[in-house]
Amino acid sequence: MLGMALAALDGTIVSTAVPQIVGDLGGFAVFSWLFSGYLLAVTVTLPVYGKLSDTFGRKPVLITGIALFLLGSLLCAAAWDMGSLIAFRIVQGLGGGAIQGTVQTIAADLYPLKERPKIQARLSTVWAVSAVAGPGLGGLLAAYADWRWIFLINLPVGAVALWLVVRHLHEPARTKNRPATRPRIDWAGALAVFACGGLLLFALVQGGVAWPWLSAPSLALFGASALLAAATVVIERRAAEPIIPGWVWRRRTIAAVNLALGSLGLLMVAPTVFLPTYAQSVLGLGPIAAGFVLSVMTLSWPLSAALSQHAYNRIGFRLTAIIGITCAALVLLAFPLLPFPGAAWQPALIMLLLGAALGLFQLPLIVGVQSTVGYAERGTTTASVLFCRQVGQSVGAALFGAIANATLASRLAAAPEGIRDGLPGDLDSVSHALGDPGSLTAEAAEYLRRAVDTAVDHVYVGAAIAAGLALLALVFVAPRRFPVITETEETPAG
């Protein structure tokens, strides 16, 4: 849990210190890569670490991940300009990928099926506490100490986590079905996965921001990503021990969970990225109050996840997840029905219900898919699920960003003649304009608030469609009953 806290706190604690970081180091035009670079490194390394943990064990991979994360944190604290800080954030991400995937796998290794919901709920609580405490802690450190402390604070937490893992984590003996020869590492496959994933995520992050979607750079990046994907498939088919083995997609249960959680990553962009803007621009809330509207989701999610075992033990993993994602789709569709401008408790209630629905959806799928494989395949399986969710999140950020900006552009183009001049042209500029009351007339501010309200409504409808895609994957791809293996059938002995 301490190791997971390093990765969970990272995004929220850094986000509140961005103004101080930019003020000290400069580089405003590229500061978004503090987050994009980290996310890219985490995402593309997940499959690699998953395979390595199946081959060499979880403990060495987790120790390596924590050590890399701490090294990256120390380097970030010593950064001298924005370019160096972004590079060191990527080093942090290389460690974060090992932490996120391996901790989830270890939870399934150490606890039998009946106890896994309890430990998974505790891990979810780590994310919930981090979401609430991270922004406040980051703001305090940036305001009263120095922004470099948001990275230095990782060192004592990580040191304790590292000591506990080295001292107390004892993996089961892997004697059954252990290969007689030394396992071979698919370095070519790892490089291909890293290059293909990195290029694709780079295209998604920069598309529509640094250049238009249909411009030459964007088309070239997507074309190169497609070629690298084809090369990756060829390399992995020929590899003796592939990083992403074909059975990840040939087995219906794993393929369905990959698709469903990829859709979850897609829909999660709506509340996490666009709700704070809605709360501040439409409802007129301050940053702290806007953060609270979002954070209520992290209160109901772990509670619902902890209680989900009572449902899936009776009706199965698949049906429980179907109920959860159906409820999530209905909740997302309720958001556009909120009155304008409305009160803060209304979107907060929506987020509370959404967290409860998604807790009922995600945890049964993770516990269920981990229970269908033995020790030797669990790391790869868990990493593939998390990889799909991360890719879905990147696609969602690009897709819903395009939807929001297109809606705003349409609304601004249709503005009355008297207020059209001087209106901003995208979501970020609109938020900044509404945050400066003196820059707009009362009529222009009201029109912009309604435009933002419409744009966020369209994003939530898109998120509901993403929930529908997850539902289709569970209904038409997933088997009616997950083929759960018993503890005695698992690969490791002991």
Side-chain angles (χ1 to χ4, degrees):
M1 291 174 71
L2 280 175
M4 183 65 84
L6 290 173
L9 272 171
D10 186 78
T12 56
I13 197 173
V14 173
S15 61
T16 53
V18 164
Q20 288 78 12
I21 294 174
V22 172
D24 188 15
L25 301 181
F28 179 80
V30 295
F31 84 88
S32 64
W33 274 97
L34 290 177
F35 308 97
S36 300
Y38 178 85
L39 175 65
L40 187 151
V42 169
T43 303
V44 298
T45 55
L46 275 168
V48 178
Y49 285 127
K51 182 61 180 179
L52 291 177
S53 74
D54 282 342
T55 305
F56 299 104
R58 326 298 187 206
K59 187 172 181 176
V61 172
L62 183 57
I63 290 173
T64 302
I66 295 176
L68 267 176
F69 191 93
L70 296 182
L71 174 62
S73 299
L74 185 61
L75 292 173
C76 285
W80 54 89
D81 59 21
M82 186 61 73
S84 63
L85 182 58
I86 291 171
F88 298 147
R89 284 281 289 166
I90 292 174
V91 175
Q92 266 193 316
L94 296 178
I99 293 171
Q100 289 192 31
T102 311
V103 168
Q104 295 278 4
T105 307
I106 289 174
D109 288 342
L110 298 183
Y111 293 85
L113 179 57
K114 290 183 179 180
E115 296 182 25
R116 283 175 197 165
K118 183 187 299 183
I119 189 62
Q120 290 285 0
R122 289 178 180 176
L123 292 175
S124 297
T125 302
V126 171
W127 287 94
V129 171
S130 300
V132 175
L137 182 59
L140 286 173
L141 291 173
Y144 297 105
D146 186 271
W147 63 264
R148 298 178 190 275
W149 279 99
I150 67 176
F151 299 108
L152 291 175
I153 199 173
N154 291 329
L155 301 182
V157 177
V160 175
L162 199 58
W163 179 78
L164 288 172
V165 169
V166 172
R167 181 80 181 270
H168 297 290
L169 176 59
H170 304 291
E171 294 191 85
R174 296 183 298 127
T175 56
K176 185 178 179 182
N177 293 337
R178 177 182 287 181
T181 59
R182 183 179 180 180
R184 288 183 290 177
I185 302 176
D186 179 22
W187 292 116
L191 181 61
V193 169
F194 194 91
C196 176
L199 204 61
L200 176 61
L201 291 178
F202 182 78
L204 290 171
V205 169
Q206 294 294 91
V209 179
W211 47 69
W213 284 110
L214 296 179
S215 64
S218 187
L219 294 176
L221 284 172
F222 281 115
S225 300
L227 291 176
L228 280 173
T232 302
V233 171
V234 173
I235 292 171
E236 294 298 83
R237 282 183 173 179
R238 295 179 178 178
E241 294 287 341
I243 294 293
I244 303 181
W247 53 260
V248 167
W249 291 102
R250 287 196 296 268
R251 298 181 191 177
R252 290 179 58 191
T253 305
I254 302 175
V257 174
N258 283 343
L259 293 172
L261 290 189
S263 299
L264 173 64
L266 192 69
L267 74 87
M268 281 301 297
V269 171
T272 56
V273 175
F274 292 94
L275 185 64
T277 298
Y278 171 88
Q280 294 182 65
S281 299
V282 178
L283 302 182
L285 302 178
I288 296 177
F292 175 77
V293 171
L294 173 61
S295 66
V296 294
M297 180 175 66
T298 65
L299 303 178
S300 57
W301 191 319
L303 180 61
S304 173
L307 297 175
S308 66
Q309 60 176 317
H310 301 293
Y312 68 66
N313 284 334
R314 289 175 176 267
I315 61 177
F317 296 110
R318 173 177 174 267
L319 188 53
T320 302
I322 285 175
I323 293 172
I325 198 61
T326 301
C327 292
L330 295 175
V331 170
L332 290 165
L333 286 174
F335 188 91
L337 302 179
L338 295 179
F340 176 87
W345 68 266
Q346 295 166 333
L349 178 60
I350 292 287
M351 291 303 100
L352 192 70
L353 296 174
L354 182 62
L358 294 179
L360 198 63
F361 165 71
Q362 178 182 254
L363 188 133
L365 292 182
I366 291 178
V367 173
V369 77
Q370 288 179 331
S371 302
T372 65
V373 294
Y375 180 96
E377 297 177 339
R378 189 173 290 138
T380 299
T381 299
T382 304
S384 74
V385 169
L386 297 178
F387 175 76
C388 288
R389 175 173 172 168
Q390 293 283 75
V391 171
Q393 187 175 344
S394 300
V395 172
L399 177 62
F400 292 147
I403 290 174
N405 283 324
T407 302
L408 275 174
S410 175
R411 296 284 294 173
L412 296 177
E417 290 290 339
I419 62 174
R420 184 181 302 172
D421 294 336
L423 288 178
D426 57 58
L427 195 60
D428 290 335
S429 301
V430 167
S431 299
H432 293 149
L434 289 173
D436 183 8
S439 64
L440 297 169
T441 65
E443 293 81 4
E446 178 72 6
Y447 188 86
L448 279 182
R449 288 191 184 93
R450 289 188 176 274
V452 172
D453 179 67
T454 302
V456 177
D457 285 349
H458 289 178
V459 168
Y460 269 78
V461 172
I465 294 173
L469 295 177
L471 179 61
L472 291 176
L474 293 176
V475 171
F476 294 106
V477 181
R480 290 184 178 274
R481 305 290 297 183
F482 281 22
V484 174
I485 63 175
T486 63
E487 304 300 325
T488 56
E489 294 175 315
E490 298 221 13
T491 301

